[in-house]
Amino acid sequence: MLDNYKKILVGLDGSVESTKAFDKAVATALRNDAELVIANVIDLRAFQSISAYDTVVADDTHKGAENLIRDFADDARAAGVKNIKTRVEFGSPKVMLGQTLPKEENVDLIVLGATGLSYIERIFIGSVADYIIKNAPCDVLVVRQ
């Protein structure tokens, strides 16, 4: 990578693939002395079966996501990343990670894991990574290993 990245967004969902992406994002942030934005997007589709969008479930989910992101931020800080921001949002992971957050945060690199959805889900709703690659306003690094 020849570019000097200033602000890196990494999307985390707790999967093995997102953890690998996090490790790569931390290494890239350290190499570039860049700010690291660690994000978790809570997919609103997860609440479709809950009547009237139960705020207790939503609050618990949000708190769990904040704890997850805080742990990753602590790990990044321990690795030497100096400037870290965390974001926990509700919405479409595709749109939030591929367009909204990169524009709001003015990032120049998005790092994410290669997989996450099952084959059937990818057929019907498409891959988050595929969407981000096609629609992101900046460079995208998809981590496989």
Side-chain angles (χ1 to χ4, degrees):
M1 287 186 239
L2 301 175
D3 290 329
N4 186 18
Y5 298 108
K6 301 288 184 211
K7 201 168 201 183
I8 300 167
L9 170 67
V10 60
L12 300 176
D13 62 6
S15 68
V16 172
E17 291 81 7
S18 73
T19 301
K20 291 176 185 177
F22 170 77
D23 292 341
K24 192 77 76 164
V26 167
T28 306
L30 288 170
R31 260 194 325 274
N32 289 272
D33 193 29
E35 179 178 357
L36 184 62
V37 179
I38 304 170
N40 176 272
V41 179
I42 301 165
D43 195 337
L44 289 176
R45 291 174 300 161
F47 297 100
Q48 286 179 348
S49 63
I50 300 171
S51 65
Y53 188 71
D54 188 341
T55 57
V56 173
V57 174
D59 288 345
D60 286 348
T61 303
H62 193 268
K63 286 177 188 170
E66 284 180 337
N67 289 336
L68 172 78
I69 295 300
R70 185 174 31 255
D71 289 345
F72 277 102
D74 290 344
D75 290 347
R77 213 168 277 109
V81 178
K82 296 174 189 144
N83 198 355
I84 300 167
K85 184 173 185 177
T86 60
R87 299 276 306 255
V88 176
E89 303 289 341
F90 284 95
S92 164
K94 290 178 180 184
V95 175
M96 292 299 290
L97 293 171
Q99 294 179 315
T100 306
L101 292 177
K103 290 175 183 172
E104 286 179 3
E105 295 292 340
N106 196 30
V107 302
D108 47 16
L109 177 65
I110 302 168
V111 182
L112 61 140
T115 60
L117 296 176
S118 73
Y119 174 73
I120 298 298
E121 287 172 314
R122 283 194 303 269
I123 289 172
F124 289 109
I125 61 175
S127 162
V128 171
D130 184 55
Y131 179 90
I132 293 171
I133 290 166
K134 291 176 181 173
N135 294 285
C138 60
D139 289 350
V140 178
L141 174 60
V142 179
V143 178
R144 297 190 184 282
Q145 299 178 12

